[in-house]
Amino acid sequence: MTLAEKLVARAAGRDSVRPGEIVTCRVDLAMMHDSGGPRRVKPMLERLGVGVWDPAKVVVISDHYVPAVDAESAAILDLTRKWVQDAGIDAFHDMQGICHVVLPERGHLRPGLFVVGGDSHSTTGGAFGAFMIGIGSTEMAGVLATGEIWIRVPPTIRLGWLGRLGPGLSAKDMVLKMCGALGMSVGNYKALEYAGPAVAALDMTERMVLANMAAELGGKVGLIAPDETTLAYLRDAGAGPAEAGDWQTDPEAEIEATHDFDAGTLEPQVAAPHSPENAADVDAHAGVAIDQAYIGACTGAKLSDLHMAATVLRGRRVAPGVRLLVAPASTRTTQQAAADGTLAVLTEAGGILLPSGCGACAGLGAGVLAEGEVCISSTARNFQGRMGHAGSQVYLGSPYTVAAAAVAGRITDPRGMLTEQAA
Amino acid sequence: MSTETGHAWVYGDNVDTDVLAPGAYMKLPVEELAKHCLEAIDPGFAGAVRPGDVVVGGENFGMGSSREQAALALIELGVAAVVAKSFARIFYRNAMNLGLPVLVCAEIDGIARGDELRIDAQRGRVENLSQGSVLQCEPIPDHLLAMIADGGLLPHLEKKLAGGRA
Ligand code: SF4
């Protein structure tokens, strides 16, 4: 069986499953945030007249509307806090960072789990060998009421990465390359599994980028088989007993398709407005003048991302007339980046620190764009109007590339600006 | 199911959830949010769409976020169904869960904006009255048809919980 099939079979209480079968799975963990979570599921559960099936299996994280900027967002957060109490949910991480980063950071994920998340980038959990899918609020209400969900067993597409990334390249370049080469629906109704030496060489925060942006490739899940790197991260996070065990695709398992890429020849990637699939080598967009550089989001502002930005920004200044905004992905990220000197490098270069949360990534918080403005961003999506005005232009790139654009005032190859790794 | 007809609103591939339910309005009630549905790509849509109309998309309709307001906004505006060559998986489930029929149909290229359509979700048929043609869609799985017949996931669950069984 494939890794995906093994994970689904376990959750369905079956010895084996086949792609295309519809099965009912027991849910090990359900994660919600303030936007799609309590404010939406509360009235639905009330209508059904039931409570949460198992409060110990629910994690709530406020990240979309934090900190509140007006009465509406304050009311959403207030409702979230009260509902969590009423529902008896202990695992509530209020304003501690973006859900996809906080969930593994606080030890909630482990290989083998079947997890649902009320957010499309819930695929991030696949980096830890968990079968984690994104669902909508009504679906979530169904899970909270019953502890179960039906799914169609997905066939697996293997995304293989040979070679090794060069300096100034990152998982974001890998995943944008795949968006450009394969398009945003290649993974629709399918399990994506990343493999190969270049994937194995990535640390967990970088693997999370690949799993996270499985969503941009259309995937139901974005899996990476757990290994020593995974287990070491989980030990540090206090995740409890975790084993890599048999959580990998068997050599004889049936794979629907394989796409191989070479990390060794990869160039920094930039996706032009308004889609991640408009990705191309950075040279194709070099020279585009920018107004804003944004380092933020679940995929683009973890500690490793801030380190990348710092290697470019050390001893440099943001170009006049350009603003560099940095929203660390979690409070723990901020603490670590403060302790190791990274934050100082970013702010000395002229970067402006924003709260940990979704912020401008989804046009909800500080840092949104005016009509006609151009931004380069380390986030996952550049759909029209997502970061502000429908007439703004958002390019996507790695933290290296975003930082280099902030310094140059225009999109440029970051490899000419690398200094020693901060910290 | 329906004998009503409605007019077609035709869009291309990859219509995303941010244009269906723009982030800037996500904290507002769905009645308000719906006024901005598709505004970034078709500013006239929300004002002109009529109850019973049908949204026609290309590949990967509803890609992006898991926000089910993307489907709710269409329901709020009275859209009767979405027909597309393919759907992003979360949008597909959200729409069905909310009782908005979504039909996968390979042959929609001939549908023009404004064509009069009649949708039969149960039988998976799209009748194009303007062009005198009938398009066959992929059949909806039985367990989903049962859910749609109940009006969506919540009424379906209500029934199930009341009956104490599936
Ligand atoms: S940071 Fe952006 S992509 Fe990540 S969960 Fe928040 S809105 Fe979604």
Side-chain angles (χ1 to χ4, degrees):
Chain A
M1 284 192 285
T2 64
L3 173 55
E5 288 155 16
K6 289 181 187 179
L7 291 163
V8 172
R10 190 204 65 85
R14 299 256 305 259
D15 290 335
S16 67
V17 293
R18 301 272 313 152
E21 269 187 273
I22 289 173
V23 295
T24 299
C25 293
R26 297 294 306 170
V27 171
D28 296 305
L29 190 71
M31 185 271 289
M32 287 184 279
H33 54 55
D34 50 333
S35 181
R39 72 159 166 153
R40 305 261 315 127
V41 298
K42 178 178 184 273
M44 298 186 209
L45 290 176
E46 283 168 359
R47 170 170 169 190
L48 293 174
V50 297
V52 171
W53 99 103
D54 186 348
K57 291 187 174 156
V58 180
V59 179
V60 178
I61 297 167
S62 65
D63 59 4
H64 274 57
Y65 290 111
V66 300
V69 292
D70 54 23
E72 282 99 3
S73 47
I76 291 170
L77 291 168
D78 182 52
L79 183 152
T80 304
R81 293 175 185 126
K82 288 181 174 147
W83 183 82
V84 162
Q85 274 226 315
D86 292 346
I89 293 164
D90 291 331
F92 175 41
H93 305 291
D94 192 11
M95 301 181 62
Q96 296 303 303
I98 304 165
C99 58
H100 308 299
V101 176
V102 171
L103 195 69
E105 224 178 49
R106 304 300 171 109
H108 292 294
L109 292 178
R110 285 193 313 280
L113 296 184
F114 185 99
V115 190
V116 299
D119 189 277
S120 59
H121 286 108
S122 298
T123 51
T124 312
F128 299 86
F131 194 95
M132 186 161 178
I133 57 174
I135 61 174
S137 304
T138 302
E139 192 90 63
M140 181 62 81
V143 168
L144 294 177
T146 65
E148 294 180 347
I149 188 170
W150 69 267
I151 66 160
R152 187 158 62 178
V153 181
T156 293
I157 294 184
R158 185 178 186 277
L159 300 167
W161 279 86
L162 306 170
R164 214 181 166 92
L165 287 175
L169 284 133
S170 70
K172 179 55 68 61
D173 300 296
M174 293 165 74
V175 77
L176 287 176
K177 176 77 190 178
M178 291 185 275
C179 288
L182 305 172
M184 291 190 66
S185 56
V186 63
N188 219 345
Y189 307 115
K190 302 191 173 125
L192 301 178
E193 184 175 339
Y194 304 104
V199 174
L202 298 174
D203 71 17
M204 288 314 295
T205 53
E206 280 282 89
R207 290 183 188 184
M208 284 162 69
V209 173
L210 299 183
N212 177 290
M213 288 185 63
E216 276 52 55
L217 292 162
K220 181 178 220 145
V221 288
L223 299 172
I224 298 172
D227 60 10
E228 254 319 304
T229 305
T230 324
L231 299 181
Y233 178 101
L234 294 175
R235 273 194 298 275
D236 286 350
E243 280 181 42
D246 197 27
W247 299 122
Q248 51 204 280
T249 293
D250 295 329
E252 70 280 5
E254 242 176 80
I255 299 285
E256 186 179 276
T258 297
H259 302 281
D260 283 325
F261 297 87
D262 182 5
T265 58
L266 184 64
E267 295 279 306
Q269 298 291 301
V270 167
H274 298 286
S275 172
E277 76 181 18
N278 295 339
D281 292 355
V282 60
D283 285 349
H285 305 295
V288 171
I290 61 158
D291 300 293
Q292 174 169 309
Y294 186 78
I295 295 192
C298 45
T299 182
K302 297 168 273 74
L303 189 62
S304 52
D305 301 307
L306 303 190
H307 285 165
M308 290 178 214
T311 61
V312 168
L313 292 168
R314 182 177 290 278
R316 296 200 168 86
R317 289 284 307 168
V318 172
V322 170
R323 50 192 191 263
L324 169 64
L325 306 180
V326 182
S330 68
T331 51
R332 200 165 282 180
T333 304
T334 307
Q335 286 157 8
Q336 288 168 335
D340 72 14
T342 303
L343 279 192
V345 173
L346 304 180
T347 52
E348 275 161 27
I352 293 165
L353 277 185
L354 298 179
S356 291
C358 296
C361 171
L364 304 170
V368 295
L369 301 164
E371 181 171 16
E373 284 192 323
V374 179
C375 176
I376 184 162
S377 175
S378 68
T379 54
R381 290 185 178 143
N382 56 346
F383 300 152
Q384 190 171 2
R386 178 172 168 90
M387 278 187 85
H389 197 279
S392 60
Q393 308 277 319
V394 179
Y395 291 80
L396 301 177
S398 76
Y400 291 118
T401 307
V402 172
V407 170
R410 53 198 65 249
I411 295 175
T412 184
D413 190 328
R415 289 174 296 186
M417 290 192 199
L418 300 179
T419 61
E420 285 302 301
Q421 170 84 40
Chain B
M1 197 180 187
S2 160
T3 51
E4 310 284 307
T5 66
H7 292 100
W9 294 80
V10 182
Y11 302 100
D13 294 342
N14 294 321
V15 171
D16 66 74
T17 48
D18 285 85
V19 303
L20 287 161
Y25 309 103
M26 278 285 290
K27 62 190 165 200
L28 303 179
V30 68
E31 310 84 78
E32 290 300 313
L33 172 69
K35 292 179 189 158
H36 305 278
C37 183
L38 291 170
E39 163 180 278
I41 59 170
D42 184 3
F45 171 75
V49 66
R50 292 285 160 259
D53 283 358
V54 175
V55 169
V56 180
E59 301 282 1
N60 208 18
F61 188 95
M63 74 165 179
S65 158
S66 63
R67 59 185 74 161
E68 64 185 9
Q69 286 92 333
L72 268 183
L74 294 173
I75 294 170
E76 175 69 24
L77 295 170
V79 169
V82 184
V83 184
K85 287 187 196 167
S86 66
F87 289 89
R89 53 167 293 275
I90 303 181
F91 180 88
Y92 182 87
R93 290 183 72 123
N94 283 346
M96 293 289 201
N97 284 338
L98 292 163
L100 173 68
V102 287
L103 293 163
V104 178
C105 186
E107 319 201 344
I108 52 169
D109 284 337
I111 302 177
R113 189 178 174 115
D115 277 0
E116 195 179 0
L117 307 180
R118 181 183 287 138
I119 304 287
D120 183 339
Q122 297 281 343
R123 291 161 65 200
R125 278 159 45 107
V126 176
E127 206 178 331
N128 189 332
L129 302 173
S130 305
Q131 304 198 11
S133 57
V134 175
L135 307 177
Q136 192 56 47
C137 308
E138 282 181 23
I140 296 175
D142 286 345
H143 72 294
L144 286 181
L145 275 181
M147 188 179 81
I148 295 177
D150 287 342
L153 178 62
L154 280 192
H156 187 62
L157 274 179
E158 258 175 329
K159 211 164 118 178
K160 223 167 126 170
L161 291 171
R165 51 166 303 274

